[in-house]
Amino acid sequence: MSTERKQRPVKPIPEAMDSAATVELERGWRPIAAVTAILAGILPVIGLILQTIASRGIDDDVDRVVSVSQALTRYGAGDAPNGIAGRQADIVSHYGDQWLTVAAAAVCTGLGLLLAIPVLYGLIRAAWRRRPSFPRWFLWTPAVGGVLFAVATVVALIYQAVQYHDFTQMAAAAQNNGAANDALNAAQDDLSFLQFAGGIGSLFTAVGFGAAALSAMNVGLLTRVIGSIGVLMAFLVVIPLLGPQGNVLRGFWFVAVGLTLLGRWPGGRPPAWDSGEPMPWPSRAQVLEEAERAGAGRSKGPDPTDAPAPKPKASSGGRRKRRK
């Protein structure tokens, strides 16, 4: 029995698209993508501002916070005729009065995620035209992730806002901490399937962010600074260390991409967009090596081998006789 393993045929790497055709194809796409990218950056920031407005006015005075035993004592003494209300009830009641603002913030955040899809897809596709060396399924990660992540986020936040509103419509005696806890956990308890969809969507969105930023940077379509921030954004999608303030960084990144596509970013549009070919940025080692070469060339001065040869002296017609 032969122990030789059959080798799988190696899939040939597809050739890059013709540079002239690439430039012509992207010339009409860039302005539309630039406006879309700027909107994808501005809308989440507007959503954060609306959320901040909705949160404004919540009383943070610690004197109003009571323990469970204190609340029961007051309720038993008749000092709390509206039920065992406390801090949570106050918070939910406040957001219930601002539920439309909360819902508007959710819509802005979701629209920003949806508008990010064509921008990320376009960047991956532009990098693919110049260097088709990565798996083709990367092209669809922004679409799958963006739709799942955006829909799950918007539906959950709007449902939560409706629960806040319903809490304010309850009888005053029923607006207690127990009902407030139910309202706060309503989206998590009633829409658990959205959490699963949102988790899958966030993973695909992170892959889309990373693929778009890294591949576009490697072929010279984005600067190293913008590309590195995009890779950081991929990490923050999965692990939101910045919380809602991460929308500001994401907004900056998309606005920077939009201005780059328009050629209005400092330094202009990278030349890879106009050449249709990959033009990778030099690595740090290459930059240092080039600087060392330039410095060494200046310190040596002119090469003596490059100096003109001395002119021969004119002959005087023979040797002069030595005087005795």
Side-chain angles (χ1 to χ4, degrees):
M1 182 176 179
S2 177
T3 58
E4 295 181 359
R5 296 182 179 179
K6 294 183 179 180
Q7 294 183 351
R8 296 181 179 180
V10 179
K11 295 182 179 180
I13 298 176
E15 296 182 358
M17 188 174 176
D18 179 69
S19 58
T22 297
V23 173
E24 183 64 26
L25 182 64
E26 294 172 353
R27 183 176 290 114
W29 170 82
R30 279 201 306 266
I32 301 174
V35 175
T36 305
I38 293 173
L39 289 175
I42 292 176
L43 284 172
V45 177
I46 294 176
L48 179 61
I49 293 173
L50 291 175
Q51 185 63 38
T52 304
I53 292 173
S55 301
R56 188 176 56 189
I58 294 180
D59 187 10
D60 291 328
D61 188 0
V62 294
D63 293 337
R64 294 189 58 191
V65 181
V66 296
S67 64
V68 175
S69 61
Q70 289 173 330
L72 290 172
T73 301
R74 293 182 184 181
Y75 181 68
D79 296 333
N82 293 332
I84 305 176
R87 186 64 177 153
Q88 290 173 318
D90 291 340
I91 291 175
V92 175
S93 178
H94 175 86
Y95 282 125
D97 296 334
Q98 303 288 333
W99 75 282
L100 288 177
T101 305
V102 175
V107 171
C108 289
T109 302
L111 284 177
L113 290 172
L114 290 176
L115 290 176
I117 294 174
V119 178
L120 297 177
Y121 174 82
L123 287 175
I124 299 176
R125 178 63 95 177
W128 173 269
R129 296 189 188 101
R130 290 162 175 80
R131 184 182 291 170
S133 58
F134 51 87
R136 198 178 185 88
W137 61 268
F138 273 143
L139 294 168
W140 304 105
T141 53
V144 176
V147 171
L148 287 176
F149 195 27
V151 171
T153 300
V154 172
V155 172
L157 291 177
I158 291 180
Y159 184 80
Q160 189 70 65
V162 172
Q163 296 303 309
Y164 293 152
H165 175 67
D166 292 345
F167 178 83
T168 60
Q169 303 302 307
M170 298 169 64
Q175 294 182 19
N176 50 45
N177 279 349
N181 280 327
D182 293 339
L184 289 171
N185 298 322
Q188 182 177 355
D189 296 337
D190 300 341
L191 305 176
S192 57
F193 66 94
L194 282 180
Q195 289 187 338
F196 176 77
I200 298 297
S202 65
L203 290 177
F204 274 89
T205 302
V207 173
F209 259 110
L214 196 59
S215 60
M217 179 179 65
N218 287 339
V219 298
L221 296 175
L222 295 178
T223 64
R224 286 192 176 278
V225 174
I226 299 177
S228 301
I229 294 176
V231 175
L232 175 62
M233 288 304 307
F235 175 77
L236 292 177
V237 168
V238 180
I239 306 177
L241 298 177
L242 300 179
Q245 283 70 28
N247 289 345
V248 176
L249 182 61
R250 189 173 72 197
F252 166 80
W253 189 80
F254 275 107
V255 170
V257 170
L259 294 178
T260 298
L261 295 175
L262 292 175
R264 300 300 179 89
W265 188 252
R269 187 167 50 237
W273 286 106
D274 298 319
S275 68
E277 299 177 354
M279 301 180 67
W281 303 102
S283 64
R284 182 175 179 80
Q286 291 173 334
V287 172
L288 292 176
E289 183 180 355
E290 187 65 27
E292 288 178 359
R293 288 179 181 177
R298 286 193 297 267
S299 62
K300 286 182 179 179
D303 191 347
T305 58
D306 296 336
K311 296 181 179 180
K313 295 182 179 180
S315 177
S316 59
R319 291 184 177 179
R320 294 182 180 179
K321 292 182 179 181
R322 184 179 298 175
R323 294 182 181 179
K324 295 182 179 178

